[in-house]
Amino acid sequence: MNKTIVQEVKCESSVSFDVSKPESTASVKRKRVKRELELNGEHPKKQVGIVPDIEDFRYNRTKAVTSSIKVEEKVRVSSVIKAKAPENWEAVLGGIKNMRLSGQAPVDTKGCEKAGSLLPPKERRFAVLISTMMSSQTKDEVTHAAVERLSENGLLDPDAIVRIDEATLANLIKPVGFYQRKAQFIKEASKICLERFGGDIPDSLNELLALRGVGPKMAHLVMSIAWKNTQGICVDTHVHRISNRLGWVFREGTKQKTTTPEQTRMSLEKWLPKDEWEPINPLLVGFGQTICTPLRPKCDMCGINNLCPLAFKESSSPNPKQKETRSS
């Protein structure tokens, strides 16, 4: 009885998926011998150095299907957005784009991407780098004016900057924030551009970040504007603030707001489609300069106040500390 059961199981396992052609006599004999050995408790051993039987190369449908499923899953995982996108984000983004159609924000006419716009490509890239290095903690209007002064003095050129003394350079870019330190960094970067890049600027994130005075925000902005190679989102104070107000970003593994621009960048990149990475910076910067301002945002003028979780909450009443000061 036991032998009969084992034989039936073994017979089922040896059934081929290929039913279009009858099995050859030799094949049937080999299988009968194999079953008899198994029933007797013996197992046929493979011999090293002997060419395997053609049956060993037979198309295995089960393995092939399993293999193809695994490949499809890998492709699908690598191509999908890494994190769930916030609810209504497309409506929110569309609303902000509509509000920005006027192009009246300072960034629209005096942002870093406007630096050296009439210069040849190589010279323009250098102008973009210098403008970006000066832009940290400085309003667009101030940075733009400093770039204009450098241009008027023939200093949108690495060789000219290397030859000018640091104090004169600092006075020319003043009142850019931390202008003395930035003058030092700009001279250092200009020398590196001359010695290592033939007067051009670095064309990779790592090489840009190696320049003193260039952080992640600046490096991503330069890559996007100068090299048309967007590798990440440029997050400045406006993008950082607005992304948190909208509930678009969270610290890793939590539902708490991000506390640094770099945290915001990484959180945004997990769900925002890559074709929005480059335009999101000027879009939110302009929105932050005109409507979603740092203090007392103009929620009554905002076209997405019905979708914003903090609408009217930051603009409805003054800061508690300000109340205490006024009452005392």
Side-chain angles (χ1 to χ4, degrees):
M1 182 66 179
N2 290 337
K3 287 186 178 182
T4 305
I5 292 173
V6 173
Q7 186 171 359
E8 288 177 356
V9 171
K10 294 296 180 180
C11 286
E12 285 186 16
S13 65
S14 64
V15 175
S16 170
F17 283 103
D18 188 359
V19 294
S20 58
K21 294 181 181 179
E23 290 185 308
S24 64
T25 304
S27 175
V28 173
K29 287 181 179 180
R30 279 195 298 272
K31 289 182 178 179
R32 186 181 297 125
V33 170
K34 184 178 180 181
R35 284 199 299 272
E36 289 174 357
L37 289 170
E38 289 173 344
L39 288 173
N40 293 328
E42 300 177 19
H43 299 279
K45 297 180 180 179
K46 292 185 178 180
Q47 298 181 28
V48 180
I50 296 180
V51 178
D53 194 274
I54 193 65
E55 292 291 325
D56 292 340
F57 294 103
R58 177 173 293 189
Y59 172 70
N60 189 319
R61 195 173 194 179
T62 304
K63 288 182 180 179
V65 171
T66 304
S67 175
S68 65
I69 291 173
K70 287 181 180 178
V71 171
E72 287 175 2
E73 285 178 350
K74 286 180 181 178
V75 172
R76 189 160 54 245
V77 169
S78 63
S79 61
V80 297
I81 296 172
K82 297 178 182 177
K84 184 180 179 182
E87 188 177 358
N88 297 322
W89 74 270
E90 290 174 296
V92 170
L93 191 63
I96 295 174
K97 288 178 179 179
N98 287 334
M99 286 184 278
R100 292 280 288 110
L101 289 175
S102 64
Q104 294 178 347
V107 70
D108 297 324
T109 56
K110 298 178 180 180
C112 292
E113 65 273 13
K114 305 300 179 184
S117 57
L118 300 178
L119 296 174
K122 183 178 177 180
E123 287 77 6
R124 180 175 183 262
R125 287 193 290 269
F126 183 76
V128 168
L129 173 62
I130 299 307
S131 175
T132 304
M133 291 179 72
M134 292 192 294
S135 69
S136 175
Q137 298 184 340
T138 306
K139 290 185 176 181
D140 285 332
E141 302 94 316
V142 176
T143 302
H144 182 75
V147 172
E148 290 295 303
R149 289 193 296 276
L150 291 179
S151 178
E152 290 166 2
N153 287 272
L155 292 172
L156 285 182
D157 175 81
D159 185 60
I161 288 180
V162 166
R163 285 187 280 107
I164 196 174
D165 64 276
E166 192 175 305
T168 302
L169 179 60
N171 284 329
L172 279 171
I173 67 174
K174 184 180 178 180
V176 163
F178 305 100
Y179 62 91
Q180 291 176 318
R181 181 175 294 181
K182 287 179 181 178
Q184 178 187 352
F185 292 159
I186 288 171
K187 280 185 67 69
E188 290 179 6
S190 298
K191 185 178 180 182
I192 292 172
C193 288
L194 283 173
E195 293 177 351
R196 295 183 53 195
F197 302 98
D200 210 334
I201 68 171
D203 62 356
S204 72
L205 276 175
N206 288 337
E207 288 173 321
L208 283 168
L209 289 168
L211 300 175
R212 289 216 299 165
V214 175
K217 165 216 159 183
M218 300 178 197
H220 283 294
L221 188 62
V222 171
M223 288 298 296
S224 292
I225 298 173
W227 293 109
K228 303 297 181 186
N229 182 4
T230 302
Q231 297 186 19
I233 299 172
C234 173
V235 177
D236 71 344
T237 181
H238 294 288
V239 178
H240 175 58
R241 179 183 70 256
I242 294 169
S243 295
N244 273 290
R245 280 180 176 171
L246 294 173
W248 279 3
V249 291
F250 301 99
R251 274 184 273 172
E252 185 72 30
T254 73
K255 284 296 181 181
Q256 297 177 338
K257 291 182 177 182
T258 58
T259 56
T260 66
E262 190 63 5
Q263 288 178 357
T264 296
R265 179 186 68 81
M266 292 187 291
S267 185
L268 276 176
E269 288 177 1
K270 286 181 179 179
W271 63 266
L272 188 68
K274 198 165 185 179
D275 58 357
E276 298 287 357
W277 286 14
E278 182 180 354
I280 196 70
N281 177 268
L283 184 75
L284 294 188
V285 168
F287 182 52
Q289 291 174 336
T290 56
I291 295 178
C292 198
T293 51
L295 298 175
R296 305 294 183 87
K298 302 175 179 66
C299 297
D300 56 327
M301 297 173 56
C302 182
I304 58 166
N305 57 26
N306 61 320
L307 297 172
C308 177
L310 291 183
F312 301 103
K313 293 181 181 179
E314 293 186 24
S315 58
S316 58
S317 62
N319 189 295
K321 291 183 179 180
Q322 293 177 336
K323 280 185 175 181
E324 291 175 9
T325 304
R326 288 175 184 173
S327 60
S328 57

